[in-house]
Amino acid sequence: MKPSWNQSFMAWKRRKLESFTSWLSGLRGKKHTVSSAKDEAQEYEQLPSWQELGVEFVNRTTWHGLKYISIPSRFILRRIIWIAILISNAVLFIFIMTQRKDYLMTHPSSIAVVVSYSDVLPFSAITVCNHNPYRLTAMQELGLYDLMVNDLGKAGDLDNGCGHFERFPGVCRLPREFLGDAKRPTVQLNETTRSVCMTVCREAYDWTCSGVFYHRRSRTCYLTPYTGEWLDDDDQAPCDGDSDGVEFYRRYRCTKSDEIFCNFEDDACSFKDASGLRDRWHIVQAADSYVRMDNTLDLGSGHVANLLLTELRPGYRARYVSDYMNTTGKCLELFYWLAVNNPTTDESATLSVIVVTEEREEIVVLPKCRGPMDWSREYVQLPDGVHQVVIEGKRGSVGQSGICLDDITVKDCSKFDVSHNCKVTRRGRAYLGTINVTASGEPCLPWGSIDNPLLNRLPDPNPADAENYCRNVPQQNWNDPSCYVKLKSLAIRPMPCNIPYCECRSSSYFKCDSGMCIPRNFICNGEDDCLDGSDELGVCNTSRSIECYFDNDYKCGYESNSVGALRFLRLSASNLRYYYGSNIISVNVSALEQLMLVDSKLGQMGDQVQLVSPLWTFDDSTLLRVTYIMMGSTQPLDSSAGLYLYQYSELHVPVRLLFSATSFAERDLLEQEVCVPGGTYHLMFLGVQGVPYESDFALDIVKIVGSCVFKEEHLDDSFDCNFMTMCGYRSISTSALFTWTLIYTNNAFKKSSDVCSAEFGGVEGIITSPGYPNNYNNSMSCNFSIVAPPGVTIEITFLEFSLEPESDCLYDRLEITDPFGNITKVYCGNVSLPPVFHSKGNILYFMFITDESVNRGRFKLEYKTPREKPLGTDFALSLRYFGLRSAMDFVHIAKLISPTVTIRGDSCVIVMLMSASNFTVKMAYLLNQVYTERLLLSSPQPLGSRWQKLHLSLSPSMSGNSKFVLVLEMSAAAPGTDAAIINDVRMLNGSCRDIVTNGTIACHFDDIDQCGYLDVSKNSQKWLRTYDATSDSFYMKSYFDRAKPVDAVLQSVRLEITEESCMKVTYFSSSQDLSIRIESVPSSFLLRTRADASNLGQLTYGNAYVQQDLPIGEYSVALLGFLHGDSSVSGAMEQMKIYSVDVSKGKCIINMTVNNSFCTFDNPNLCGYAINYPFGAPWKWTKFDGANNSQQNSSNLSSKDSHDNVMMYNSSSYSLKGVLLSSNVSKQDSTWMIFDAYTSSVNGSVIEVYTKSLQYSSFRQLPVEGRLVTKQWATLRACLPAGVFRIMFVATVCPVDFVAVDNINQSNVPCSQSRPVVSQCFDSDHVDCITNHFSWSPQFAWRHTSDIRNDTVMPGGDGCFGVFYETEGIIDFNKVGKQYMEDTTCDLYIKDLDGQWF
């Protein structure tokens, strides 16, 4: 019987199924037979029909009820019932599944994932073993060999190109080194062919398989890393001919890349994470790692490879591994940043570069790389051959550690020579070119002449190769390769060089106007990655528009800022539904639409973020339609959050509020039409966060819909303001809880939010519950009061209110009492905001009481005086922070922006201010239609809680003769306190120096007018009057940035000096590199500064003073603070304070030894030596009377009159050092310095000698010849080099001991003369000899010895012999024998009456 079509089809499917099953069985080692055609035809006839198969299925199925439908029965009703039941169940099942799916998609859940690391891996519950090796017979019999070849590659491709295998005759086994080596595993395949083995080697074991052993008889192959080169000395010829049917095939790899470049900004990096390790590299934005800025772009938005900073994974390793590549003639360059506790110990994190051979041997080419906490460069040449390149980061075993990588390059070493002659990255840390002049044309000094320890980190492999070429040194914080130059003042300064950028690597990069190359995917992404706007403005202008749907990253040119983690995020509507549920947006919003979301879980209450449109010109009043969504809390008690729209001027001033949305009652898509005025300006959307997790909102569409009529209003255009009103001044900040408000000046600097009692005043203000915005505490009883100016009433508006509810307010309550109206109101609960409260007079009392349990929220009240403010009262503008610091300690910033003005000539702006926080003053203007800021004044520290008068000199040229605004920018002080108070601002015509004409030269700066002294510096580094609350006094203070050293000039009024006078300036300097100089103005002559001998004015730090003779004449006096010398830590801040300027009649009297080359410390001025301790010691050298001593262990401190007065040092800690610093020393040649030294114990006592360069701010240690002797004076010497410097004696002692120095002599004997001429010392003891004869050498010094064995003949050498001599008085050297003493290689030994040899 001929089978039907269905039967034939089923037979064909079954045959194929059995063939595949047989193939699998063959892989398991089972014998497989294939049915003949006749057997198959019989099977076709025996196949059941479709109907029979269906009946069999329903009879055997576990689907309950199905068989009752198929069983023939006379009960038709029962079958119908079962059909209905099954259909109903199916429908119900589908309905429940659909409902559960919708519920799952609309109700996201937070899952806390805790990652725990175990050192012991538990045995798996299920073990799967694969016993299916490839078998030749099974593969061939089943006809699947071709299938294997097609799927896994061409196994038989044995061509002579890359990827082929070549047989090595005579190799038949592995060398011993490979046997049992876990790093070089061998894989065995049974019952297979050569081609299959080669294919598996290439495709499945690409990294570990370099050769194939094939055994013909057993059809078994072994995949191995072995390459055929014998390593055993005993087995040079292991096999002769074809031994036992074993064949070895060497694999020749295709190297997949000639070069590697990874800046982690795109997907071009070919490095892969190595498997099997317990840690891994993560590619993150630099802002999300501890480095903050990447090396490529020097931006937080750039990407780096990050090994997470943690202390939880000690010793863990992570590896980046490349594919095999031909490394012949190639070099590797990378940049890394190590974050470690101690970068010098073996326990710290390390970075290594390793190459792996084809035989899996690892060769470390860059071991244990360590560096400073900055981007550092490493460069290494790779070995020849085919290798994998491995970059391994290993965590330290103690403490926190982490590593970041960036800009990894592997290419021909010759190509590095080209790229090193230009900048590849923004800061050019890899630049190794030969440019040796600065951008201003100054010649560079050789690096070897700069004595700075950081310069040992030059990027050159050999620092000597740097010569005087421009370089970027790690930890110097230089923006460009730089070099040191010598200024006219002889100071040494680093100056930037003009280094061109390299050409872009390929067309996948975009070249900025500056020459910097960035990936093309950075274009039009809304971020200024070029830092010159060319990646946004220059190429995306056609996309810039005031109308926007926010459907791409460019966002029509809208730019967003951030406050900490809070920002405008671009999110699709579908993702919005996923996060908030489909019921959030009930209107028809396309899932493809994009919205700008402010996610309230990222910030804190009050945080403000901006979304600013591109600059746009509206020809006339225009009607805009703004579409937005409010998704926050529906509680009416939180009015702190909202979305606001401002007109934002070209100078970044929020000119006027156009629209606000603060209601979160409707979680829906809302529309608002806004009329905006004509003109050229930006639109600024300001988002203010309310309650975290409950105040999200999103901006959807901004669209022009027509024209409108805008009601113009007058805008103030004057700086002058006494702050009875805001006078056109605008406030903008990063937090709505940190803003400028009007207050009564009597309430300045009174704390409010975190205290339980306070008095408020002024015309308006804010009152919050203690601890706001956090919940209030239990068991509180707080009293507040508002005292407004007389004649006004007070209006109270509740902005937030949520207390524990109770019908009679017996638990938690707020009571407001109006004494004039004899009214008391009690408030509690959290249902609705209380109504506005109006007082009858100018005083209100508040009492806030809480019980011992249940603290249900907080409150925030706003008060103001609705009536006109009375004249004669004193008001001010206050900046107070009502919030809390964020978790990341983000410091909020507030700006006070003046009205926009244009000046015609020189002007002076006078500001009355108190500050409890650091601040800056900037001028904002348009330069070539580009917003530009100019820093006018910077105060890194607060000026104190007393009124200060700031003078700012302005000229039209400073703003390019265009309109400008002044911006006062301040950071938040402690929560609840005023950061600043401004009382009055005025602008006067003329320069500040010409306006202020009254004053004196003598001044203690107690007067707010500073005796007429004004800062006339041409930079932002100003002298500022500062209040010291501890001493209740004032002084002038200025800060000096080592990275940008400039002079700060404080000038007096012009006065006529009618008689000779002496001017004394008392000051403090934080550094020996920070000096003060006195000049006359006009500078027809330079006043010669004369310092007190003990403090050496221009070169002393700490508290000091300088004196100056004032000649007869008419002039001003200028005090110049300036930095001289280089910095070892770039960007460090130094400070100088001027306490007073005193003037007395007559010339200055300076008690100072003119020649300080010889010092016995008998005079009061200590020969110009200064007592300093820059090494962190609170202990110091003191002048001590050695003849009348009572110091412990000092009974032998003075045995002769020459040590009546000495300098002595003792300390409470061995780690603390004392420094004795000389005045300036000038040497034409190197000569010997001789000094006496004493110690109470030689154990732990050290006296070191240094020279301190005046030009380079560097220290050089001098070798000291001689040694200290316990309780004995010893004479030491050191060779002073040629040059101008200061001498430093650095002492270290144990806590119970001390050292002393005396009789310091700077002789004229050149250091080349190694021995003294002793004939000059006849008839004198050794002390007076050394004291009075500078040619005497401390090499010849009395010293105790225990090496003498014979009383008459001393051991000698080189023809020398010892001399015995006894004396009770002066030594007669003629008796000893002059010929022996003049022998420069001999020693003189003298024995005293007690039998002691010297």
Side-chain angles (χ1 to χ4, degrees):
M1 181 181 65
K2 184 178 181 180
S4 65
W5 181 88
N6 287 338
Q7 292 174 328
S8 300
F9 177 75
M10 288 297 298
W12 179 84
K13 288 185 64 177
R14 177 169 294 183
R15 187 171 64 251
K16 287 297 182 182
L17 179 61
E18 290 181 354
S19 298
F20 187 74
T21 303
S22 301
W23 173 66
L24 290 177
S25 301
L27 293 180
R28 295 186 177 92
K30 298 178 181 179
K31 188 175 180 181
H32 170 66
T33 58
V34 182
S35 302
S36 62
K38 181 178 180 180
D39 295 334
E40 292 177 357
Q42 295 176 355
E43 289 181 3
Y44 294 155
E45 298 177 356
Q46 299 173 2
L47 287 176
S49 64
W50 284 104
Q51 184 178 4
E52 293 174 340
L53 291 174
V55 172
E56 182 180 0
F57 169 73
V58 296
N59 287 329
R60 294 184 179 182
T61 183
T62 57
W63 191 0
H64 188 69
L66 186 59
K67 64 180 179 180
Y68 296 113
I69 300 174
S70 60
I71 295 176
S73 173
R74 53 196 177 116
F75 300 104
I76 302 299
L77 180 60
R78 185 175 68 174
R79 298 178 67 182
I80 293 174
I81 292 174
W82 275 110
I83 291 174
I85 291 174
L86 288 179
I87 294 175
S88 300
N89 288 338
V91 171
L92 180 61
F93 174 77
I94 294 172
F95 172 75
I96 292 175
M97 290 296 294
T98 304
Q99 186 185 47
R100 291 294 90 193
K101 181 184 75 68
D102 291 341
Y103 181 85
L104 177 65
M105 297 301 293
T106 56
H107 291 74
S109 60
S110 298
I111 300 175
V113 178
V114 178
V115 180
S116 60
Y117 297 89
S118 176
D119 295 332
V120 179
L121 182 65
F123 189 77
S124 56
I126 300 176
T127 302
V128 178
C129 299
N130 186 354
H131 295 288
N132 298 315
Y134 296 104
R135 295 183 58 207
L136 175 62
T137 54
M139 297 286 287
Q140 291 175 340
E141 292 172 357
L142 296 175
L144 296 179
Y145 173 78
D146 293 337
L147 178 62
M148 170 68 84
V149 172
N150 292 333
D151 287 344
L152 299 181
K154 296 181 179 180
D157 184 13
L158 301 179
D159 56 15
N160 293 322
C162 72
H164 77 283
F165 286 80
E166 180 179 341
R167 183 180 177 185
F168 278 23
V171 178
C172 62
R173 61 182 175 85
L174 283 173
R176 294 177 186 154
E177 285 81 352
F178 285 79
L179 299 176
D181 190 345
K183 293 184 178 180
R184 299 188 279 196
T186 298
V187 179
Q188 178 179 342
L189 299 180
N190 298 326
E191 293 294 335
T192 186
T193 66
R194 302 177 185 83
S195 298
V196 171
C197 291
M198 294 175 185
T199 300
V200 174
C201 175
R202 278 189 300 229
E203 302 297 333
Y205 297 93
D206 182 38
W207 286 1
T208 59
C209 180
S210 299
V212 174
F213 283 95
Y214 184 72
H215 193 267
R216 294 192 305 271
R217 297 180 182 177
S218 62
R219 297 176 180 175
T220 303
C221 71
Y222 301 89
L223 312 182
T224 173
Y226 179 49
T227 60
E229 297 181 5
W230 281 101
L231 306 176
D232 295 90
D233 295 335
D234 301 338
D235 300 327
Q236 292 297 329
C239 301
D240 296 329
D242 187 5
S243 175
D244 199 28
V246 176
E247 303 170 350
F248 175 74
Y249 294 90
R250 164 75 159 95
R251 177 190 175 191
Y252 290 91
R253 283 184 169 84
C254 292
T255 54
K256 296 185 178 180
S257 62
D258 294 329
E259 295 182 357
I260 298 177
F261 179 73
C262 292
N263 60 9
F264 306 106
E265 306 299 345
D266 49 33
D267 298 328
C269 184
S270 58
F271 277 102
K272 303 178 181 65
D273 257 310
S275 59
L277 299 178
R278 293 190 293 179
D279 220 331
R280 64 183 300 268
W281 299 98
H282 299 268
I283 298 178
V284 299
Q285 279 194 328
D288 297 329
S289 69
Y290 58 85
V291 300
R292 312 309 298 170
M293 299 287 185
D294 74 326
N295 181 68
T296 312
L297 304 173
D298 197 39
L299 295 174
S301 58
H303 292 79
V304 297
N306 181 36
L307 191 60
L308 181 67
L309 179 65
T310 182
E311 59 183 7
L312 300 178
R313 306 176 185 179
Y316 281 26
R317 295 181 302 137
R319 281 188 169 191
Y320 262 150
V321 184
S322 74
D323 291 317
Y324 275 98
M325 61 183 302
N326 188 350
T327 57
T328 302
K330 287 185 171 54
C331 295
L332 177 142
E333 179 185 69
L334 62 82
F335 290 84
Y336 67 98
W337 185 314
L338 263 66
V340 294
N341 288 342
N342 188 347
T344 61
T345 65
D346 292 335
E347 297 175 343
S348 63
T350 58
L351 183 72
S352 304
V353 177
I354 304 168
V355 294
V356 182
T357 67
E358 291 188 278
E359 294 188 341
R360 307 307 296 167
E361 178 185 2
E362 295 188 355
I363 303 172
V364 179
V365 296
L366 184 64
K368 291 189 177 181
C369 177
R370 296 188 177 99
M373 293 284 286
D374 195 2
W375 284 112
S376 300
R377 172 183 177 271
E378 286 295 343
Y379 179 83
V380 63
Q381 183 169 355
L382 302 178
D384 294 346
V386 176
H387 300 94
Q388 285 180 300
V389 180
V390 178
I391 300 174
E392 179 182 272
K394 183 180 179 181
R395 297 187 182 279
S397 58
V398 177
Q400 280 194 336
S401 58
I403 308 174
C404 279
L405 298 176
D406 204 1
D407 296 309
I408 307 171
T409 306
V410 180
K411 61 182 179 181
D412 291 340
C413 298
S414 58
K415 293 184 179 180
F416 278 107
D417 298 335
V418 177
S419 62
H420 286 164
N421 286 317
C422 49
K423 288 198 303 183
V424 178
T425 61
R426 196 179 305 278
R427 293 206 180 195
R429 293 186 176 95
Y431 174 74
L432 297 178
T434 57
I435 294 178
N436 58 2
V437 294
T438 66
S440 59
E442 299 289 335
C444 297
L445 295 175
W447 292 102
S449 66
I450 311 300
D451 189 7
N452 189 324
L454 289 179
L455 302 182
N456 294 327
R457 300 187 180 125
L458 286 166
D460 301 74
N462 181 9
D465 296 339
E467 299 186 18
N468 67 332
Y469 305 138
C470 301
R471 296 291 185 265
N472 199 333
V473 183
Q475 283 192 318
Q476 293 296 84
N477 198 28
W478 294 342
N479 292 328
D480 292 285
S482 305
C483 68
Y484 282 83
V485 299
K486 182 178 291 187
L487 305 180
K488 293 181 180 180
S489 62
L490 301 183
I492 305 299
R493 292 284 181 270
M495 302 291 287
C497 303
N498 187 14
I499 309 298
Y501 281 100
C502 300
E503 291 298 321
C504 296
R505 292 171 46 84
S506 65
S507 59
S508 62
Y509 283 80
F510 171 80
K511 194 174 188 68
C512 306
D513 290 348
S514 62
M516 174 77 181
C517 296
I518 63 173
R520 283 199 171 272
N521 59 347
F522 281 31
I523 299 175
C524 300
N525 64 349
E527 301 289 339
D528 185 10
D529 301 298
C530 286
L531 297 188
D532 57 15
S534 57
D535 61 317
E536 303 294 322
L537 300 178
V539 295
C540 308
N541 282 336
T542 57
S543 303
R544 296 171 65 83
S545 175
I546 202 72
E547 296 186 279
C548 193
Y549 289 83
F550 305 104
D551 53 356
N552 57 46
D553 287 334
Y554 184 59
K555 303 183 289 289
C556 314
Y558 280 73
E559 296 181 358
S560 59
N561 66 0
S562 61
V563 176
L566 186 67
R567 64 193 67 187
F568 274 97
L569 303 172
R570 196 171 69 88
L571 199 67
S572 68
S574 58
N575 287 334
L576 201 67
R577 288 194 179 97
Y578 175 77
Y579 285 119
Y580 296 99
S582 59
N583 58 335
I584 292 294
I585 309 174
S586 59
V587 297
N588 185 19
V589 178
S590 171
L592 299 178
E593 283 191 26
Q594 303 290 321
L595 304 99
M596 300 301 295
L597 170 72
V598 175
D599 189 349
S600 63
K601 69 173 177 289
L602 301 179
Q604 291 193 348
M605 177 175 286
D607 286 354
Q608 298 187 147
V609 291
Q610 299 175 5
L611 183 66
V612 181
S613 76
L615 189 66
W616 200 256
T617 299
F618 296 92
D619 297 330
D620 201 352
S621 299
T622 304
L623 188 64
L624 297 180
R625 180 178 296 152
V626 179
T627 307
Y628 60 97
I629 305 170
M630 308 301 284
M631 296 167 291
S633 172
T634 57
Q635 297 182 12
L637 305 179
D638 181 16
S639 60
S640 58
L643 179 65
Y644 303 84
L645 175 61
Y646 285 88
Q647 178 185 346
Y648 200 54
S649 76
E650 298 172 274
L651 297 178
H652 295 185
V653 179
V655 177
R656 53 171 61 92
L657 178 65
L658 302 174
F659 153 71
S660 64
T662 58
S663 174
F664 287 83
E666 299 182 16
R667 301 188 176 191
D668 210 341
L669 193 67
L670 305 173
E671 290 184 349
Q672 177 70 42
E673 292 187 348
V674 183
C675 187
V676 300
T680 301
Y681 51 86
H682 304 268
L683 292 179
M684 181 188 72
F685 289 92
L686 181 68
V688 182
Q689 175 169 324
V691 178
Y693 295 90
E694 297 184 5
S695 55
D696 298 359
F697 48 87
L699 179 64
D700 183 20
I701 300 173
V702 180
K703 188 175 182 180
I704 296 176
V705 294
S707 60
C708 61
V709 177
F710 185 85
K711 184 179 180 181
E712 294 286 349
E713 60 184 43
H714 173 72
L715 299 177
D716 293 302
D717 56 358
S718 172
F719 278 168
D720 295 352
C721 186
N722 60 5
F723 296 104
M724 293 286 288
T725 65
M726 289 294 291
C727 306
Y729 282 78
R730 302 296 198 283
S731 173
I732 188 170
S733 72
T734 57
S735 174
L737 303 178
F738 185 45
T739 186
W740 293 91
T741 56
L742 293 170
I743 67 164
Y744 190 42
T745 53
N746 290 344
N747 294 287
F749 288 98
K750 289 186 178 179
K751 210 165 185 178
S752 61
S753 67
D754 60 343
V755 297
C756 201
S757 297
E759 178 182 314
F760 298 86
V763 295
E764 62 184 17
I766 299 291
I767 300 177
T768 62
S769 56
Y772 182 91
N774 289 345
N775 290 347
Y776 55 81
N777 293 325
N778 294 323
S779 302
M780 300 185 72
S781 179
C782 304
N783 295 281
F784 305 96
S785 63
I786 298 176
V787 181
V792 302
T793 60
I794 304 172
E795 179 183 281
I796 302 294
T797 303
F798 292 82
L799 302 179
E800 292 183 57
F801 193 83
S802 177
L803 305 184
E804 183 182 0
E806 205 275 332
S807 58
D808 296 325
C809 295
L810 298 178
Y811 300 153
D812 300 343
R813 63 186 180 275
L814 176 67
E815 299 179 2
I816 302 179
T817 301
D818 182 357
F820 290 91
N822 196 21
I823 300 173
T824 298
K825 292 284 189 179
V826 181
Y827 302 94
C828 66
N830 56 1
V831 178
S832 62
L833 290 174
V836 176
F837 180 89
H838 296 276
S839 72
K840 300 297 184 180
N842 67 321
I843 298 176
L844 284 178
Y845 297 108
F846 297 78
M847 179 177 289
F848 178 52
I849 300 174
T850 66
D851 62 8
E852 67 278 2
S853 64
V854 186
N855 47 359
R856 277 294 178 85
R858 57 187 177 269
F859 64 80
K860 178 181 179 182
L861 317 178
E862 178 186 33
Y863 70 89
K864 58 184 178 180
T865 56
R867 292 179 51 185
E868 190 69 27
K869 302 173 183 61
L871 299 177
T873 56
D874 195 5
F875 296 93
L877 201 57
S878 167
L879 178 63
R880 177 172 293 191
Y881 180 48
F882 292 95
L884 299 174
R885 305 284 177 143
S886 66
M888 64 178 63
D889 201 26
F890 178 84
V891 178
H892 286 288
I893 301 296
K895 296 180 180 180
L896 181 66
I897 307 175
S898 73
T900 304
V901 300
T902 303
I903 58 176
R904 305 297 180 186
D906 291 343
S907 302
C908 180
V909 176
I910 302 175
V911 181
M912 295 287 293
L913 171 139
M914 287 189 279
S915 77
S917 181
N918 57 304
F919 66 92
T920 61
V921 179
K922 302 176 183 179
M923 171 187 282
Y925 56 95
L926 294 180
L927 180 62
N928 298 326
Q929 301 303 313
V930 176
Y931 175 82
T932 307
E933 287 185 347
R934 181 190 186 107
L935 183 62
L936 300 180
L937 184 150
S938 175
S939 177
Q941 295 294 328
L943 302 183
S945 57
R946 293 294 185 273
W947 288 112
Q948 312 290 349
K949 185 183 290 187
L950 304 182
H951 292 77
L952 300 174
S953 293
L954 305 178
S955 64
S957 60
M958 296 173 66
S959 62
N961 297 303
S962 64
K963 59 184 180 180
F964 65 91
V965 297
L966 292 184
V967 181
L968 174 62
E969 183 175 301
M970 305 202 71
S971 57
T977 59
D978 293 309
I981 306 288
I982 294 181
N983 178 259
D984 186 58
V985 179
R986 287 177 294 151
M987 176 182 281
L988 304 176
N989 294 327
S991 67
C992 295
R993 183 67 282 173
D994 295 337
I995 292 173
V996 180
T997 57
N998 297 324
T1000 60
I1001 293 180
C1003 188
H1004 283 220
F1005 307 105
D1006 295 329
D1007 182 15
I1008 193 171
D1009 292 318
Q1010 306 166 181
C1011 309
Y1013 279 88
L1014 290 182
D1015 184 279
V1016 294
S1017 308
K1018 301 299 183 182
N1019 48 70
S1020 62
Q1021 183 174 296
K1022 306 288 186 184
W1023 288 100
L1024 297 173
R1025 180 171 172 266
T1026 305
Y1027 174 68
D1028 184 3
T1030 303
S1031 61
D1032 192 25
S1033 61
F1034 295 86
Y1035 51 83
M1036 302 300 295
K1037 180 167 65 173
S1038 183
Y1039 287 87
F1040 299 81
D1041 188 351
R1042 286 187 177 273
K1044 301 176 181 179
V1046 292
D1047 296 345
V1049 185
L1050 184 65
Q1051 182 182 342
S1052 73
V1053 295
R1054 187 181 181 93
L1055 294 174
E1056 184 179 359
I1057 309 298
T1058 58
E1059 58 181 336
E1060 290 185 342
S1061 304
C1062 178
M1063 174 183 178
K1064 179 181 178 181
V1065 180
T1066 304
Y1067 70 97
F1068 166 83
S1069 173
S1070 65
S1071 169
Q1072 54 199 356
D1073 296 331
L1074 185 56
S1075 302
I1076 190 170
R1077 186 168 68 246
I1078 305 175
E1079 294 184 356
S1080 65
V1081 181
S1083 56
S1084 57
F1085 58 92
L1086 171 67
L1087 299 179
R1088 185 183 301 278
T1089 303
R1090 302 172 64 188
D1092 174 79
S1094 65
N1095 289 292
L1096 206 71
Q1098 291 192 23
L1099 299 171
T1100 301
Y1101 60 102
N1103 291 316
Y1105 66 86
V1106 293
Q1107 297 184 98
Q1108 170 63 52
D1109 290 326
L1110 297 180
I1112 297 175
E1114 184 177 347
Y1115 51 84
S1116 298
V1117 173
L1119 306 179
L1120 281 76
F1122 65 98
L1123 273 168
H1124 56 87
D1126 177 33
S1127 66
S1128 59
V1129 180
S1130 178
M1133 298 295 293
E1134 305 292 351
Q1135 61 174 306
M1136 178 177 282
K1137 304 174 184 177
I1138 298 179
Y1139 296 112
S1140 63
V1141 179
D1142 298 297
V1143 178
S1144 60
K1145 294 182 179 180
K1147 288 189 175 182
C1148 301
I1149 299 175
I1150 309 293
N1151 295 322
M1152 179 175 179
T1153 302
V1154 177
N1155 181 8
N1156 63 353
S1157 61
F1158 167 57
C1159 184
T1160 60
F1161 299 106
D1162 294 328
N1163 52 359
N1165 55 41
L1166 306 179
C1167 313
Y1169 278 84
I1171 300 169
N1172 293 278
Y1173 31 94
F1175 291 85
W1179 301 88
K1180 60 183 180 180
W1181 291 84
T1182 56
K1183 185 177 178 180
F1184 186 76
D1185 186 354
N1188 299 301
N1189 68 80
S1190 59
Q1191 175 71 32
Q1192 181 183 5
N1193 295 331
S1194 60
S1195 59
N1196 296 324
L1197 182 60
S1198 178
S1199 59
K1200 297 184 180 296
D1201 293 338
S1202 59
H1203 293 299
D1204 286 348
N1205 293 286
V1206 302
M1207 295 303 296
M1208 188 174 68
Y1209 173 76
N1210 65 333
S1211 171
S1212 63
S1213 172
Y1214 183 76
S1215 63
L1216 302 179
K1217 300 176 183 292
V1219 178
L1220 187 64
L1221 190 65
S1222 78
S1223 58
N1224 291 357
V1225 175
S1226 178
K1227 289 288 184 180
Q1228 298 294 329
D1229 300 301
S1230 58
T1231 58
W1232 291 108
M1233 179 186 69
I1234 308 164
F1235 62 96
D1236 289 347
Y1238 182 97
T1239 180
S1240 59
S1241 174
V1242 295
N1243 296 324
S1245 299
V1246 180
I1247 295 181
E1248 300 169 302
V1249 179
Y1250 294 80
T1251 60
K1252 192 271 181 187
S1253 171
L1254 301 184
Q1255 294 180 335
Y1256 305 137
S1257 181
S1258 59
F1259 300 92
R1260 173 184 174 186
Q1261 186 173 2
L1262 304 180
V1264 177
E1265 298 185 9
R1267 61 184 180 132
L1268 295 173
V1269 181
T1270 301
K1271 297 184 179 180
Q1272 295 289 338
W1273 282 100
T1275 304
L1276 312 178
R1277 75 172 181 177
C1279 181
L1280 299 179
V1284 180
F1285 50 85
R1286 303 175 74 186
I1287 303 171
M1288 291 175 51
F1289 292 87
V1290 181
T1292 306
V1293 296
C1294 290
V1296 296
D1297 296 319
F1298 68 92
V1299 295
V1301 296
D1302 195 11
N1303 297 335
I1304 302 175
N1305 296 272
Q1306 301 170 24
S1307 74
N1308 295 321
V1309 177
C1311 295
S1312 58
Q1313 183 175 337
S1314 61
R1315 291 291 187 272
V1317 179
V1318 297
S1319 59
Q1320 299 178 9
C1321 289
F1322 292 163
D1323 301 328
S1324 66
D1325 62 57
H1326 79 284
V1327 174
D1328 292 336
C1329 176
I1330 296 175
T1331 301
N1332 299 320
H1333 298 277
F1334 299 150
S1335 60
W1336 184 265
S1337 170
Q1339 185 71 16
F1340 182 81
W1342 301 109
R1343 56 191 181 273
H1344 186 273
T1345 179
S1346 60
D1347 296 333
I1348 301 175
R1349 307 294 183 183
N1350 191 299
D1351 285 348
T1352 56
V1353 180
M1354 308 308 303
D1358 299 329
C1360 297
F1361 58 90
V1363 178
F1364 168 79
Y1365 191 80
E1366 294 183 357
T1367 180
E1368 294 180 348
I1370 299 176
I1371 302 173
D1372 186 352
F1373 282 95
N1374 287 322
K1375 294 180 182 179
V1376 176
K1378 180 179 178 180
Q1379 68 274 17
Y1380 305 130
M1381 294 299 301
E1382 291 180 343
D1383 189 335
T1384 58
T1385 62
C1386 297
D1387 291 330
L1388 172 66
Y1389 294 85
I1390 296 179
K1391 185 177 182 180
D1392 64 7
L1393 296 179
D1394 294 330
Q1396 296 293 323
W1397 283 103
F1398 293 87

